[in-house]
Amino acid sequence: MEKLQRADLWTLEHYAEKRAGFRQQVMEHKSRRRLPLGEHATLYFEDRLSIHYQVQEMLRVEKIFEPTAIEEELAAYNPLIPDGDNWKATFMLEYPDRAERQQRCRELVGIEDRVWVQVAEGERLYAIADEDLSRTTDEKTSTVHFLRFQLSAEQKRQALDGAPLHFGVDHPLYMVQVSVPETVRQSLCADLH
């Protein structure tokens, strides 16, 4: 999947005109790229469109228009775009109550390393977590992690051939396995072309 370039981005003024329609398009697209993992964790699969939106929003909010600052944003977000043989996702722990969230973050240290995908009936493939920087200490994990599921050539072929996908977590204090709905599976397979 092609990375974003400065030429792909709209100026702040042009984005202000396009924002409502673009946001609606992206939200519809993202609805097919969200996978709940039980009650309190979700995978939000990233792609070029979701990252384009994220970068445009950052430029807008931060009022970034200098070329070097735009390049810095692109350098920060482009690694989240899949490379054609992997899936990239934002993994979020979602506990609305602040006290419960803090407690669970202390209990779930290392959970980001226990998130997996299974293609067909193959072995579980564990995500590579937080390649940019560590978001976990010995005392607690973060509520947000960035994951890469690096597929073998065979896993990629099977996924493209329609094999079922399962994602899950096997942390001792958070165990879950889910089958991927067909709309999400099709959207993920688009990342593999």
Side-chain angles (χ1 to χ4, degrees), residues 1-6 8 48 51 74 77-84 86 88:
M1 201 171 279
E2 190 177 317
K3 303 300 183 185
L4 288 168
Q5 305 292 320
R6 267 184 49 213
D8 299 319
R48 193 173 192 276
I51 296 304
L74 289 170
Y77 284 99
N78 266 332
L80 299 176
I81 297 175
D83 302 305
N86 54 40
K88 297 185 179 180

Side-chain angles (χ1 to χ4, degrees), residues 87 116-125 149-167 180 185 188-189 192:
W87 291 308
W116 53 266
V117 62
Q118 182 181 31
V119 180
E121 301 302 319
E123 291 186 30
R124 292 178 176 178
L125 170 69
F149 297 91
Q150 189 62 50
L151 303 175
S152 69
E154 178 63 13
Q155 289 167 320
K156 177 179 173 176
R157 185 195 62 73
Q158 288 178 323
L160 289 171
D161 286 348
L165 303 176
H166 304 279
F167 282 85
V180 176
R185 194 189 73 73
L188 292 179
C189 283
L192 303 178

